[in-house]
Amino acid sequence: MKVTFPHMGNLWICLNAMLQYLGVETVVPPPSTKKTLSLGSKHSPEFSCMPFKLNLGNFMEASELGADTIIMAGGCGPCRFGYYAQVEHEILCDLGYNYKLVVLEPPEKHISQLLSRIKYITGNRSWFEVIRGIRFGFAKSRAVDDLEIMAMKLRPREKSPGHTDTALTEALKLIAETRRPEHLQESQNNSAEIMKSIPTESRQVLKVGLVGEIYTLLEPFANMDIERKLGRLGVEVDRSIYLSQWVNDHLFMGLVKGLRSSSLYQRCSAPYLRHFVGGHGQETLGGAVYYNNAGFDGVIQILPFTCMPEIVAQSVLPSFSQDTGMPVMTLIVDEQSGEAGLMTRLEAFVDLLAENRDRKKELA
Amino acid sequence: MPVIIGIPRSLLFYKYYPLWKTFFEELGAEVTTSGHTTKAVLQEGLKLSVDEACLPVKVAFGHVQALRERVDYIFIPRLVSVSPREYICPKFLGFPDMVRQCVQGLPAIIDTSINMYRREGDMFRQFSEMGAHICKNPLKITAAYRKARSEMARFDSRVEAGMLPEEAFINREGIPGDGPDHRPTVAVVGHPYNIYDSFININLIKRLEESGINIVTADNVPERLVNSYAGTLNKKLFWTLGRRMVGAAYHFTDNPSIRGIIHVASFACGPDSMTGDMIERKVRRKGNLPFLNLILDEHTGEAGIVTRIEAFLDMVNMHGQASGI
Ligand code: SF4
Ligand code: SF4
């Protein structure tokens, strides 16, 4: 059995850690590229959302590397993600791929459903070990988040452009290569050192909050590297959703409480959105309100074309922006999105934010 | 003067109108609806909604706009879930918020959440909440709810017997027994607001009827049959409308009297992208049942639709002759 899984930013670091710890052989799909996307799009329903198409592309590419089993998270709606695995599997079948599919999701009938699926993957490992494996994956996701948060702060302040990204790659590699839970702390210390050694200078920076659909927030290929682009433009970025949150929601079934997350955002999202709408639509609004309260200069919403929860959020964001004066930009991505257009839009948005700030200073 | 409650002729109007109308009327309100969708309604809707919204949602905005000045209340319930462990669509969850934030000059809104996700049983509690806007007497509310339910049950049975909703709203007598139907039967599968709103689908139903086609829709299939086919899926489908569409379509592929299937979807519709793929895949795997996938948005042109329907009907007729039906 060679297990693969879809990419979503650095998620592979956590899943790989968890599975390898449990002695499962894995095939990490090649990083998502234009080729992955066009391969996936070619065989996906026209209006499926971009993560769906990339998943499919990942599976097709992983199959060439010998993968024969897919593990995927699932869900129970209302958004499409909960039915991704089943439809993707049907498509792969019709294309002649011989994949075994294992979906880890809240059980429909009885917890034993989920447990037996986990057992299928982990074989005769004890439950104690399985839980340690999952915790290892979760610990890695937090380590990844910490590094990315550092990078978002450092990029606009780095002395030589690009230094942060080189360091981040190196630091993430340390985390990815750690095979045992007991060594993770040391790797974290070392990787933090790498980040801290980046020469910076104190500058005045603009602050932008990224909100929107989780996959496009976490996957640099999908958002065309927006964090880096903004960093280079002198913007400090924060994100409404982090990897550890996804891992908690989908691998721990939400057992870890108290991450900065859903509950805070849900409270913030009223009066604009008073009900959950699937996906992270409510967090998008809540995040926007939160960033406004926290004194950020602007908010960017990112979503894949046809993403339902985010279209609801997009519909009410203008009135948030009007009420608060907070500039909001919406970025919709699909297989036609071009880098050049994005750069122009980002530059214009950042100019606007800079003007706003200067104006506010004059008034003060 | 009775209070006037406006129900937009959009979204699940086509599924629940008799229930809602009877309930409010029994409480002494006057119920009015917006007219049929027109170009003007759509134009208004386009102004109020984001480009990315699907056509039915844009049209729904237009209907709210058409009602807002002539009613005391607009009724746009938040339809979270109408059946255990199922949803409608994220956009239904957020529709009342979208309306509040995007439409100016609204009258009072009744946007009670209907959420049956975690429980079986009836919706009395939610109806009490709805009724409380205009009536304080719990006995009256109970009676109105009962009456509304039985109206609804009669409506549902007329639809199951083969009537289309618009007809079943008015015709309370049931289907005239006109003997066996010799016309070829085509199944139309799609969300109710897409297949029964003749503006949205550019008169699809009428065109088919004028071509001598007998039409059945997913809503004409009894719940029991829908569920037994939907039950063959590896995983429960968690969209109520999608489950009905897939269950009914799978049933149609098994039913020799069905000579073709038209799947009607909204451009960029999320659930349709998944269920449509499942349906089309099933039809293709089964063999050569004629299948037409119509995708609708505000730019869909009449000419294109006509050509595609004609081509489809040619297939239906050829296929029928070949198999000697
Ligand atoms: S949240 Fe959006 S992108 Fe993600 S599965 Fe749902 S519809 Fe697709
Ligand atoms: S189900 Fe499709 S057509 Fe209906 S509201 Fe949702 S996205 Fe629009």
Side-chain angles (χ1 to χ4, degrees):
Chain A
M1 180 168 66
K2 287 191 175 173
V3 176
T4 193
F5 36 76
H7 268 304
M8 179 171 72
N10 288 313
L11 176 63
W12 68 275
I13 295 180
C14 318
L15 295 179
N16 223 22
M18 177 181 104
L19 291 166
Q20 287 185 344
Y21 176 80
L22 294 168
V24 179
E25 201 179 339
T26 58
V27 176
V28 180
S32 295
T33 59
K34 284 227 154 16
K35 187 176 139 258
T36 320
L37 181 56
S38 66
L39 200 59
S41 305
K42 192 166 154 215
H43 302 288
S44 299
E46 184 181 1
F47 298 121
S48 56
C49 32
M50 189 198 222
F52 183 100
K53 297 173 179 171
L54 281 169
N55 282 183
L56 195 66
N58 289 151
F59 297 147
M60 293 166 78
E61 291 181 339
S63 160
E64 279 170 33
L65 302 179
D68 56 19
T69 303
I70 294 171
I71 58 165
M72 250 193 102
C76 15
C79 154
R80 274 177 277 186
F81 182 68
Y83 229 80
Y84 264 25
Q86 286 71 19
V87 177
E88 285 166 356
H89 195 227
E90 292 298 304
I91 295 174
L92 289 169
C93 280
D94 279 1
L95 290 174
Y97 288 88
N98 202 356
Y99 261 124
K100 164 91 187 163
L101 171 72
V102 181
V103 188
L104 304 180
E105 60 189 338
E108 274 178 28
K109 296 202 177 68
H110 197 266
I111 185 81
S112 61
Q113 261 182 334
L114 175 62
L115 298 184
S116 74
R117 288 178 191 175
I118 295 176
K119 272 280 162 211
Y120 178 86
I121 297 287
T122 59
N124 49 12
R125 298 281 160 151
S126 70
W127 285 112
F128 178 74
E129 283 291 287
V130 171
I131 288 165
R132 279 196 73 186
I134 299 180
R135 284 181 50 178
F136 186 37
F138 184 60
K140 280 206 177 183
S141 72
R142 301 198 88 158
V144 167
D145 288 347
D146 288 345
L147 292 175
E148 290 194 330
I149 290 171
M150 286 188 203
M152 292 192 283
K153 288 210 170 25
L154 287 164
R155 274 193 201 104
R157 298 180 173 90
E158 66 191 1
K159 272 199 175 137
S160 57
H163 199 149
T164 310
D165 290 320
T166 326
L168 178 63
T169 314
E170 207 184 313
L172 285 172
K173 197 158 164 253
L174 283 186
I175 301 295
E177 283 171 356
T178 308
R179 303 287 277 222
R180 306 287 313 167
E182 56 274 23
H183 299 153
L184 187 57
Q185 189 55 52
E186 195 193 326
S187 307
Q188 274 180 278
N189 297 344
N190 294 342
S191 55
E193 279 313 312
I194 298 179
M195 299 305 282
K196 281 187 197 134
S197 68
I198 299 169
T200 56
E201 51 193 28
S202 88
R203 281 183 202 148
Q204 224 195 8
V205 299
L206 290 161
K207 287 171 103 181
V208 166
L210 300 182
V211 297
E213 188 273 333
I214 185 164
Y215 185 96
T216 40
L217 282 178
L218 294 184
E219 173 60 60
F221 171 74
N223 63 39
M224 293 179 279
D225 246 336
I226 194 166
E227 287 176 14
R228 278 177 207 189
K229 288 197 168 80
L230 285 168
R232 295 272 169 92
L233 291 173
V235 176
E236 182 182 324
V237 179
D238 189 37
R239 226 196 274 141
S240 60
I241 303 171
Y242 288 91
L243 184 59
S244 52
Q245 193 181 334
W246 189 92
V247 173
N248 180 37
D249 289 347
H250 289 93
L251 294 180
F252 276 179
M253 308 293 159
L255 279 178
V256 183
K257 303 285 179 225
L259 300 176
R260 172 184 102 182
S261 67
S262 305
S263 57
L264 166 69
Y265 292 140
Q266 277 156 17
R267 253 179 293 124
C268 285
S269 70
Y272 302 104
L273 207 48
R274 304 182 205 198
H275 201 280
F276 92 99
V277 293
H280 293 84
Q282 210 179 6
E283 280 89 337
T284 294
L285 256 294
V289 172
Y290 169 84
Y291 289 129
N292 182 51
N293 296 341
F296 275 58
D297 300 286
V299 167
I300 300 181
Q301 182 203 18
I302 311 177
L303 64 143
F305 179 57
T306 79
C307 171
M308 307 172 280
E310 293 300 327
I311 290 175
V312 175
Q314 184 198 358
S315 307
V316 297
L317 273 172
S319 58
F320 155 80
S321 175
Q322 214 165 33
D323 293 353
T324 57
M326 177 69 123
V328 177
M329 171 178 146
T330 291
L331 173 66
I332 300 169
V333 296
D334 68 3
E335 52 271 39
Q336 270 100 44
S337 308
E339 298 255 340
L342 174 61
M343 209 50 211
T344 326
R345 284 188 67 197
L346 287 181
E347 279 164 1
F349 189 65
V350 171
D351 284 347
L352 172 89
L353 301 187
E355 266 170 42
N356 279 358
R357 191 187 48 195
D358 295 345
R359 201 171 319 121
K360 264 188 221 149
K361 256 200 229 136
E362 275 165 30
L363 290 175
Chain B
M1 275 270 287
V3 295
I4 305 177
I5 295 188
I7 304 184
R9 192 183 285 269
S10 57
L11 302 177
L12 290 194
F13 169 89
Y14 295 95
K15 202 167 151 72
Y16 291 120
Y17 177 56
L19 180 70
W20 298 338
K21 174 181 149 74
T22 314
F23 179 69
F24 287 120
E25 281 182 352
E26 287 298 307
L27 295 180
E30 185 184 320
V31 172
T32 180
T33 69
S34 44
H36 288 276
T37 310
T38 58
K39 188 143 197 177
V41 169
L42 171 64
Q43 294 297 346
E44 288 298 318
L46 291 177
K47 276 188 231 156
L48 294 167
S49 51
V50 293
D51 256 3
E52 285 69 26
C54 51
L55 179 59
V57 164
K58 289 173 176 161
V59 162
F61 270 98
H63 283 280
V64 169
Q65 177 77 347
L67 279 172
R68 93 190 146 84
E69 278 179 348
R70 51 189 186 87
V71 299
D72 302 314
Y73 290 91
I74 288 193
F75 180 63
I76 39 170
R78 191 190 296 276
L79 295 168
V80 178
S81 164
V82 295
S83 195
R85 300 194 9 264
E86 291 177 9
Y87 295 100
I88 313 278
C89 163
K91 291 181 194 165
F92 279 77
L93 275 79
F95 187 63
D97 295 307
M98 290 157 81
V99 167
R100 276 181 204 274
Q101 300 304 326
C102 304
V103 185
Q104 307 280 313
L106 286 168
I109 284 188
I110 301 180
D111 64 351
T112 309
S113 292
I114 308 277
N115 189 351
M116 308 296 287
Y117 191 85
R118 287 190 196 290
R119 47 193 215 97
E120 302 271 348
D122 68 7
M123 302 183 188
F124 179 66
R125 220 187 52 218
Q126 283 101 336
F127 273 75
S128 305
E129 207 181 311
M130 271 153 43
H133 284 270
I134 55 167
C135 169
K136 300 281 169 252
N137 181 343
L139 290 179
K140 230 175 139 184
I141 292 181
T142 312
Y145 178 64
R146 284 228 184 91
K147 179 93 188 281
R149 287 264 306 219
S150 66
E151 254 326 296
M152 187 66 200
R154 277 199 288 278
F155 168 79
D156 281 342
S157 62
R158 291 198 291 276
V159 171
E160 252 182 38
M163 258 192 220
L164 299 184
E166 289 273 6
E167 191 192 354
F169 291 151
I170 322 163
N171 177 349
R172 312 175 43 109
E173 304 307 319
I175 297 272
D178 52 2
D181 200 319
H182 295 296
R183 297 172 300 170
T185 300
V186 162
V188 180
V189 177
H191 295 142
Y193 40 85
N194 276 335
I195 54 183
Y196 305 127
D197 184 328
S198 56
F199 180 86
I200 285 187
N201 62 39
I202 320 185
N203 268 321
L204 171 68
I205 300 288
K206 201 156 144 246
R207 281 176 213 284
L208 291 173
E209 272 168 352
E210 284 171 0
S211 312
I213 296 291
N214 177 41
I215 297 160
V216 292
T217 73
D219 303 295
N220 301 139
V221 180
E223 184 76 5
R224 184 184 47 76
L225 261 182
V226 166
N227 284 335
S228 81
Y229 277 90
T232 62
L233 298 168
N234 286 334
K235 173 177 180 177
K236 178 182 164 68
L237 250 183
F238 44 70
W239 297 300
T240 300
L241 305 178
R243 171 182 47 85
R244 173 155 281 278
M245 284 153 56
V246 169
Y250 281 21
H251 157 71
F252 292 139
T253 61
D254 257 1
N255 180 338
S257 70
I258 301 294
R259 301 265 294 272
I261 296 181
I262 301 183
H263 179 252
V264 182
S266 299
F267 181 88
C269 166
D272 280 348
S273 70
M274 299 280 120
T275 53
D277 189 79
M278 294 163 73
I279 293 170
E280 182 159 3
R281 213 164 276 283
K282 180 78 164 190
V283 173
R284 303 250 180 269
R285 282 179 189 169
K286 273 253 162 182
N288 54 353
L289 187 66
F291 181 82
L292 171 64
N293 193 20
L294 278 186
I295 295 168
L296 305 168
D297 73 358
E298 60 272 32
H299 310 295
T300 309
E302 176 159 0
I305 290 273
V306 171
T307 334
R308 299 195 57 206
I309 295 177
E310 276 169 6
F312 169 78
L313 290 180
D314 286 346
M315 297 256 294
V316 168
N317 290 328
M318 260 163 29
H319 187 66
Q321 272 157 16
S323 50
I325 310 176

